[in-house]
Amino acid sequence: MTTETPVSLVETIAFDPGATALAHLKALLQAGELDADAALESHNGDNVTLAVTGPDAVMLVGQHGQTLDALQFLLMLMTNKGQGPRLRLMVDADGYRARRAQKLIGFAEDLAVQVSKSGQEAITDTLNPMERRIIHTALADNPDVQTYSEGDEPNRYVVVTPRISESAD
Amino acid sequence: MKPMIEYLVKELVDDPDSVTVTEIPGEESTTYEVHVAPGDLGKVIGKQGRIANALRTVTKAVAMKSKKKVYVEIIA
């Protein structure tokens, strides 16, 4: 899939959200003259994950992944444009999201231990929806705590509370 | 930089033929004037300027490679 003329590239392929999002991302990297490449990391139904690698990939991360979020938002708009199915897109660069997810899982587990020991609820920093989901998922099966989100975007955070277990053995 | 902005904007609007990007070089910064059809303004600005801000964020990040400051202005 070489891209001589980025603008017409997407019209040449049948609609496939993963391939379309990837084509857009590759075209952007090329048009921005970045020394980086993109690949489809996973594609399950409407969940698509793209990963940017290469020497310039780190430039797309930004503070707290801000640039990555902006890029992901634009790619989602471009890919969903005029299409029925809503694509759920995740864009990673230089492994940032993967590292961040690992960090959040560790943080969630620490909070769970703290909450179950103290019996007091605890809150996370402000997190974006994707980050909050990581915390919820990480603690979903934890027998000692439960989680919910609170606050208004963009200042939503996760509350971890002791699990109220009436039906516990 | 200009090709990237053009690509982004043309893919966001309904009327890509009306999109022009003008590069205005300055001493320390470059301004990109993005012209779109009046009906497409919302497609590049978005609610509370969310799309325009995302465009600026990505453009600024990519411009760091050339160590240049960039501004993106959207004009109908």
Side-chain angles (χ1 to χ4, degrees):
Chain A
M1 206 162 38
T2 51
T3 62
E4 292 298 309
T5 48
V7 175
S8 63
L9 175 69
V10 173
E11 292 163 4
T12 63
I13 53 175
F15 187 69
D16 165 342
T20 306
L22 181 61
H24 282 309
L25 180 53
K26 279 177 177 270
L28 281 176
L29 294 173
Q30 196 189 3
E33 293 175 31
L34 291 184
D35 188 2
D37 198 13
L40 187 66
E41 205 165 75
S42 67
H43 186 181
N44 304 305
D46 287 337
N47 288 298
V48 171
T49 303
L50 304 177
V52 181
T53 53
D56 287 346
V58 68
M59 289 172 46
L60 296 175
V61 175
Q63 253 195 334
H64 307 301
Q66 264 177 7
T67 306
L68 215 42
D69 291 340
L71 179 66
Q72 181 175 295
F73 176 59
L74 292 173
L75 280 170
M76 197 187 64
L77 290 176
M78 291 158 85
T79 307
N80 281 335
K81 193 181 145 199
Q83 299 296 336
R86 296 266 300 164
L87 169 77
R88 228 176 180 172
L89 179 67
M90 184 157 111
V91 181
D92 199 356
D94 198 38
Y96 170 81
R97 294 228 194 267
R99 282 196 303 278
R100 177 85 176 136
Q102 277 315 112
K103 209 182 247 178
L104 284 170
I105 291 168
F107 178 60
E109 284 161 356
D110 289 349
L111 265 190
V113 169
Q114 182 198 317
V115 167
S116 61
K117 268 189 185 160
S118 70
Q120 303 279 315
E121 64 175 42
I123 61 168
T124 66
D125 290 335
T126 291
L127 299 173
N128 69 34
M130 212 187 316
E131 294 172 329
R132 293 199 303 273
R133 196 162 37 198
I134 290 169
I135 303 274
H136 292 310
T137 308
L139 299 180
D141 296 328
N142 189 302
D144 303 323
V145 298
Q146 49 198 24
T147 62
Y148 60 91
S149 295
E150 201 176 74
D152 294 320
E153 289 289 8
N155 298 314
R156 259 172 100 71
Y157 51 87
V158 177
V159 183
V160 181
T161 65
R163 189 179 286 273
I164 305 150
S165 49
E166 304 127 56
S167 59
D169 47 17
Chain B
M1 187 58 54
K2 192 179 151 190
M4 192 192 75
I5 298 171
E6 261 168 2
Y7 182 83
L8 274 166
V9 175
K10 284 189 178 191
E11 290 294 335
L12 290 171
V13 298
D14 290 330
D15 181 7
D17 292 340
S18 296
V19 173
T20 55
V21 178
T22 314
E23 185 176 315
I24 303 163
E27 259 181 43
E28 294 194 352
S29 64
T30 307
T31 302
Y32 293 91
E33 279 187 1
V34 177
H35 296 258
V36 301
D40 273 333
L41 261 184
K43 296 260 158 125
V44 276
I45 293 175
K47 281 179 196 154
Q48 278 139 23
R50 196 171 165 209
I51 300 172
N53 285 336
L55 280 170
R56 291 191 179 105
T57 301
V58 170
T59 307
K60 274 181 188 160
V62 173
M64 271 170 27
K65 189 167 181 173
S66 56
K67 299 192 168 56
K68 266 238 160 186
K69 259 194 182 163
V70 291
Y71 295 98
V72 178
E73 283 175 18
I74 294 154
I75 299 159

